[in-house]
Amino acid sequence: LMSSQRVVCVRCEDINISGSFYRNKLKFLDKLRKRTNTNPAHGPYHFRAPSRIFHRVIRGMIPHKTHRGKCAMERLKAFDGIPEQYEKSKRMVVPDAFRVTRLKPGRRYCVLGRISLEIGWKHKEAVERLEAKRKERSAVYWEEKKAQLGKAKAAKAAVADQFDAKLAKFGY
């Protein structure tokens, strides 16, 4: 983000957090207690959605009060599930962020979506329903793409035989 790259994080509800569920839930509930005594509308605001929690975590890693930090935060987008505009685009993973590379085997971890649900996120069912629809559409798309790739491979093989025969005639 700080080096002018745009980052879009999808399926934030599936992010893994190290530590047991109970411990992390207590930490989140402790944050929820912190508010302005005279007027809670003055903040701090505690978002319940996994994408907003992720956004807030990243904000803590960036100098968001400076101009370049503010510009960096504008380059970050986080979503629960996968929205339609990012459905067909190629997704990348960060191998250094995998749970298997970060945590020792046997260590406890929890999922951000479950914590969000416990602290007041109300849209888990809607996101799951939309994700199921998206997975159905992507399965159909993948079957069509596999069929086209098979046809292309067969066509290449048929053409390759003709070229191999011509090349063999010239000694290649």
Side-chain angles (χ1 to χ4, degrees), residues 2 56-64:
M2 294 301 285
R56 184 71 183 244
V57 166
I58 298 300
R59 196 187 89 165
M61 301 175 191
I62 288 180
H64 65 95

Side-chain angles (χ1 to χ4, degrees), residues 4 10 16 19-20 23 27 34 37-38 40 42 60 69 76 88 93 96 101 104 122 124 141:
S4 301
V10 293
N16 289 321
S20 70
R23 182 172 183 270
K27 283 199 310 194
K34 291 171 175 55
N37 198 15
T38 52
H42 288 169
L76 171 71
K88 295 260 195 298
V93 293
D96 289 341
T101 58
K104 278 181 159 179
K122 296 180 178 73
K124 186 176 189 337
Y141 169 77

Side-chain angles (χ1 to χ4, degrees), residues 4-168:
S4 301
Q5 274 197 327
R6 294 186 179 278
V7 176
V8 178
C9 182
V10 293
R11 288 200 305 237
C12 286
E13 71 275 5
D14 292 333
I15 291 174
N16 289 321
I17 303 174
S18 62
S20 70
F21 168 74
Y22 186 71
R23 182 172 183 270
N24 281 309
K25 183 182 169 185
L26 288 179
K27 283 199 310 194
F28 273 93
L29 290 173
D30 195 43
K31 280 181 195 158
L32 287 181
R33 277 190 308 115
K34 291 171 175 55
R35 61 186 201 161
T36 305
N37 198 15
T38 52
N39 187 358
H42 288 169
Y45 306 109
H46 306 292
F47 295 105
R48 266 66 165 190
S51 57
R52 297 301 298 168
I53 292 172
F54 176 75
H55 193 272
R56 184 71 183 244
V57 166
I58 298 300
R59 196 187 89 165
M61 301 175 191
I62 288 180
H64 65 95
K65 292 186 178 182
T66 63
H67 179 69
R68 59 192 274 269
K70 184 175 161 225
C71 293
M73 287 305 293
E74 287 171 2
R75 289 190 288 270
L76 171 71
K77 290 181 182 176
F79 297 100
D80 302 320
I82 301 178
E84 274 189 45
Q85 66 262 34
Y86 298 109
E87 201 172 294
K88 295 260 195 298
S89 58
K90 185 162 175 59
R91 292 185 280 281
M92 297 174 67
V93 293
V94 182
D96 289 341
F98 286 162
R99 188 183 75 234
V100 269
T101 58
R102 285 280 150 210
L103 290 182
K104 278 181 159 179
R107 295 286 188 188
R108 292 175 186 230
Y109 67 93
C110 60
V111 180
L112 183 58
R114 184 170 171 217
I115 291 176
S116 292
L117 188 67
E118 295 276 331
I119 63 171
W121 182 45
K122 296 180 178 73
H123 305 292
K124 186 176 189 337
E125 291 85 19
V127 169
E128 284 176 349
R129 192 175 62 248
L130 291 169
E131 278 295 289
K133 282 184 190 174
R134 182 194 63 79
K135 285 178 182 172
E136 288 173 15
R137 285 195 304 265
S138 66
V140 170
Y141 169 77
W142 176 242
E143 290 302 321
E144 290 172 2
K145 187 173 179 181
K146 250 196 324 193
Q148 282 188 341
L149 288 173
K151 286 179 185 175
K153 194 173 182 182
K156 268 187 188 175
V159 173
D161 291 340
Q162 295 172 358
F163 283 123
D164 287 345
K166 286 182 182 178
L167 288 174

